[in-house]
């Protein structure tokens, strides 16, 4: 296993080696003045929401699908959409699962460093090979202009104190990673008029601590942030800064500011292509939960096709694996709760179907779908034969081949109240 296979750390491999980011880390523990939480972490990404956030078991299923469809993937990373170490349980469990199933991949983390020191040994044990720490300043007087606050457990630091604590943790993280043989890149967001004159000092400290690369990323001014009106650095400014900083640490020049759910080669991102797969995986239940939910509820008129709208179904058919061990059969009929009642109706339906791992309907509104999923019942708008859908659902969890192309407009032919099957 060599650095050569990581496309971010070795530019010569960008045409052969792909990466996948697993978006399992929604929370963050600091507030950068260039960040709007509606967007991906700009430490490692361009603005734009990740299409879904995954739980660790879902991330593993997603990784299986990515590895099958993109076998040139050599790096699995966690880069948000918040900060991986602000979500240590999810991050470490995802890394453990990924390592268990794909021991030959490279493992990469991108963090602000605030909560990394307590986990350095564990990261090494889990096989993390590469890490990125975003360090925008090594002087708290400059840092306080960049960070509004930082949270350490239940303690919240603000302004200068936040910058001081954060910088200490970043230095400790870089040192600890390097000592453990993990290859480190330092990202520095260049904010004109705030830290551009300080980038060389950051590079010097990073180089002294043993970082392999520095990635000077031009600020991407984001709406509704304190830095929204700061002009983006010019190419000339970034080029000059890289020249000066490059005296102290090698500079990365090919960063793509990837999304937290990036997939594929740096030069040919496939995250759009995998968005539906990601979304499906975000609805998968854990295997143990599947065991307590052996059935699937189906909205059907005659018991052959999935062909009824969620809101118009008064009785669901409950299907499950046939006792003969081959195929599927109807187990029973089950009445749906009466219509009306808004959100309560969908919570009640999820409760009525609590032994079902999913409900299959021909169409539904977004609101009931989200309410059912919030209540633990994934809902799929699909078409085709019930048994074909069940075969795909039980085998792979992937119903994309049956996805109903166009959900019927809410209220059109159904008895709902026009507010998403209410
Ligand atoms: Fe936003 Fe990332 Fe900064 Fe957290 S570390 S505030 S997610 S840019
Ligand atoms: Fe590599 Fe930059 Fe993309 Fe991170 S954001 S995966 S460093 S190209």
């Amino acid at each position: 296993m060599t650095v050569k296979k990581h496309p971010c750390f070795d530019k010569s491999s960008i045409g052969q080696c792909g990466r996948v980011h697993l978006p399992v880390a929604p929370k963050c523990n600091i507030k950068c003045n260039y960040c709007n939480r509606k967007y991906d972490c700009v430490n490692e990404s361009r603005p734009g929401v990740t299409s879904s956030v995954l739980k660790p078991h879902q991330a593993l299923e997603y990784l299986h699908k990515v590895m099958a469809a993109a076998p040139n993937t050599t790096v699995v990373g966690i880069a948000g959409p918040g900060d991986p170490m602000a979500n240590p349980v999810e991050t470490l469990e995802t890394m453990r699962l990924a390592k268990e199933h794909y021991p030959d991949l490279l493992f990469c983390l991108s963090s602000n460093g605030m909560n990394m020191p307590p986990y350095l040994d564990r990261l090494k044990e889990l096989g993390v090979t590469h890490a990125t720490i975003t360090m925008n300043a090594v002087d708290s007087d400059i840092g306080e202009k960049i960070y509004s606050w930082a949270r350490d457990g239940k303690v919240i630091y603000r302004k200068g104190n936040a910058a001081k604590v954060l910088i200490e943790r970043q230095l400790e993280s870089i040192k600890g990673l390097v000592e453990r043989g993990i290859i480190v890149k330092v990202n520095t967001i260049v904010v004109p008029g705030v830290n551009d004159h300080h980038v060389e000092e950051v590079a010097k400290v990073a180089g002294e601590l043993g970082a392999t690369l520095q990635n000077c990323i031009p600020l991407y001014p984001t709406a509704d942030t304190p830095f929204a009106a700061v002009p983006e650095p010019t190419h000339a400014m970034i080029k000059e800064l890289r020249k000066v900083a490059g005296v102290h640490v090698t500079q990365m020049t090919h960063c793509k500011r990837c999304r937290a759910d990036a997939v594929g080669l740096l030069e040919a991102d496939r995250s759009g292509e995998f968005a539906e797969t990601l979304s499906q995986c975000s609805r998968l239940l854990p295997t143990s939960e599947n065991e307590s939910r052996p059935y699937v509820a189906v909205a059907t008129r005659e018991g052959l096709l999935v062909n009824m709208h969620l809101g118009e179904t008064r009785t669901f058919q409950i299907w499950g694996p046939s006792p003969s061990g081959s195929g599927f059969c109807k187990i029973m009929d089950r009445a749906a709760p009466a219509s009306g009642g808004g959100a309560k109706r969908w919570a009640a339906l999820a409760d009525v179907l609590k032994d079902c791992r999913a409900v299959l309907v021909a169409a539904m509104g977004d609101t009931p779908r989200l309410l059912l999923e919030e209540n633990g019942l994934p809902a799929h708008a699909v078409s085709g034969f019930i048994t074909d859908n069940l075969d795909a659902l039980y085998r792979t969890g992937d119903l994309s081949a049956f996805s109903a192309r166009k959900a019927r407009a809410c209220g059109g032919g159904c008895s709902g109240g026009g507010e998403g099957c209410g």
Side-chain angles (χ1 to χ4, degrees), residues 405-419:
R405 296 234 163 132
K406 274 191 193 157
R408 233 188 301 154
C410 178
C414 87
S415 53
E419 53 178 20

Side-chain angles (χ1 to χ4, degrees), residues 17 190 282 411:
C17 300
V190 179
S282 73

Side-chain angles (χ1 to χ4, degrees), residues 25-37 39-44 79-83 111-112 134 136 147 149 189:
K27 292 177 286 186
C28 192
N29 48 6
I30 69 171
K31 179 72 178 77
C32 304
N33 286 337
Y34 44 72
C35 177
N36 182 330
R37 294 291 167 73
Y39 302 93
D40 278 359
C41 175
V42 296
N43 290 345
E44 279 288 77
D83 187 86
S111 172
N112 59 43
T134 296
N136 301 320
Y147 310 110
W149 52 260
I189 311 295

Side-chain angles (χ1 to χ4, degrees), residues 305-334:
L305 299 166
V306 183
N307 54 13
M308 288 186 75
H309 193 290
L310 176 69
E312 68 186 348
T313 306
R314 299 286 166 259
T315 303
F316 286 89
Q317 291 194 0
I318 307 299
W319 284 64
S322 169
S324 69
S326 152
F328 301 92
C329 64
K330 186 179 115 174
I331 310 287
M332 66 187 90
D333 289 316
R334 199 171 288 163

Side-chain angles (χ1 to χ4, degrees), residues 131-395:
T132 294
I133 300 293
T134 296
M135 186 164 72
N136 301 320
V138 289
D139 176 335
S140 59
D141 289 342
I142 295 170
E144 75 171 354
K145 296 179 185 148
I146 301 175
Y147 310 110
S148 299
W149 52 260
R151 194 180 58 244
D152 186 24
K154 291 186 177 164
V155 181
I156 295 192
Y157 298 93
R158 298 194 185 274
K159 291 280 183 179
N161 289 334
K164 185 168 177 297
V165 174
L166 179 62
I167 291 167
E168 282 168 9
R169 300 288 173 81
Q170 291 171 339
L171 300 179
E172 193 181 344
S173 296
I174 296 168
K175 183 166 177 285
L177 290 162
V178 170
E179 283 170 355
R180 287 162 180 79
I182 296 171
I183 298 164
V184 176
K185 168 163 68 69
V186 167
N187 279 0
T188 304
I189 311 295
V190 179
V191 187
V194 176
N195 73 342
D196 52 322
H197 62 289
H198 183 59
V199 167
E200 183 181 7
E201 188 58 25
V202 176
K204 190 161 174 262
V205 172
E208 284 168 0
L209 288 172
T212 298
L213 273 182
Q214 184 186 31
N215 181 14
C216 294
I217 304 177
L219 171 77
Y220 186 104
T222 304
D224 304 326
T225 67
F227 289 167
V230 175
E232 204 168 343
T234 62
H235 288 302
M237 176 190 270
I238 295 294
K239 196 172 167 197
E240 179 59 23
L241 286 177
R242 284 178 179 156
K243 193 169 139 204
V244 171
V247 172
H248 306 285
V249 59
T250 305
Q251 297 291 299
M252 179 179 187
T253 56
H254 60 291
C255 180
K256 299 294 179 197
R257 294 202 286 200
C258 309
R259 295 170 57 98
D261 58 1
V263 195
L265 301 175
L266 295 192
E267 298 296 330
D269 188 79
R270 297 173 67 181
S271 50
E273 184 188 327
F274 279 92
E276 182 56 29
T277 306
L278 186 65
S279 165
Q280 283 161 3
C281 288
S282 73
R283 298 196 288 268
L284 288 176
L285 296 171
T287 308
S288 57
E289 213 166 318
N290 273 343
E291 282 162 11
S292 65
R293 292 173 175 266
Y295 306 127
V296 171
V298 184
T300 176
R301 285 193 181 83
E302 74 300 306
L304 272 180
L305 299 166
V306 183
N307 54 13
M308 288 186 75
H309 193 290
L310 176 69
E312 68 186 348
T313 306
R314 299 286 166 259
T315 303
F316 286 89
Q317 291 194 0
I318 307 299
W319 284 64
S322 169
S324 69
S326 152
F328 301 92
C329 64
K330 186 179 115 174
I331 310 287
M332 66 187 90
D333 289 316
R334 199 171 288 163
S339 57
K344 283 188 187 153
R345 176 184 178 189
W346 306 113
L349 179 61
D351 190 51
V352 162
L353 302 177
K354 62 175 178 263
D355 54 355
C356 297
R357 63 186 61 185
V359 56
L360 307 185
V361 302
M364 65 189 144
D366 283 341
T367 303
R369 180 176 65 77
L370 290 172
L371 288 167
L372 287 173
E373 291 184 2
E374 272 173 23
N375 283 284
L377 182 66
H380 302 276
V382 293
S383 59
F385 287 103
I386 295 169
T387 47
D388 290 346
N389 275 277
L390 293 179
D391 187 51
L393 184 66
Y394 279 84
R395 269 192 310 108

Side-chain angles (χ1 to χ4, degrees), residues 23-104:
V24 296
K27 292 177 286 186
C28 192
N29 48 6
I30 69 171
K31 179 72 178 77
C32 304
N33 286 337
Y34 44 72
C35 177
N36 182 330
R37 294 291 167 73
K38 283 187 287 192
Y39 302 93
D40 278 359
C41 175
V42 296
N43 290 345
E44 279 288 77
S45 57
R46 65 178 167 76
V49 289
T50 178
S51 56
S52 300
V53 171
L54 301 177
K55 296 193 169 66
H57 73 276
Q58 297 166 340
L60 179 64
E61 288 307 314
Y62 177 63
L63 183 57
H64 288 327
K65 292 178 197 304
V66 168
M67 292 308 293
N72 60 357
T73 303
T74 58
V75 182
V76 57
I78 300 178
D83 187 86
M85 303 320 298
N87 304 262
V89 174
E90 293 81 1
T91 294
L92 298 175
E93 177 60 3
T94 301
M95 281 285 163
R96 188 190 70 74
L97 290 169
K99 180 76 180 166
E100 185 180 306
H101 291 263
Y102 298 97
D104 295 335

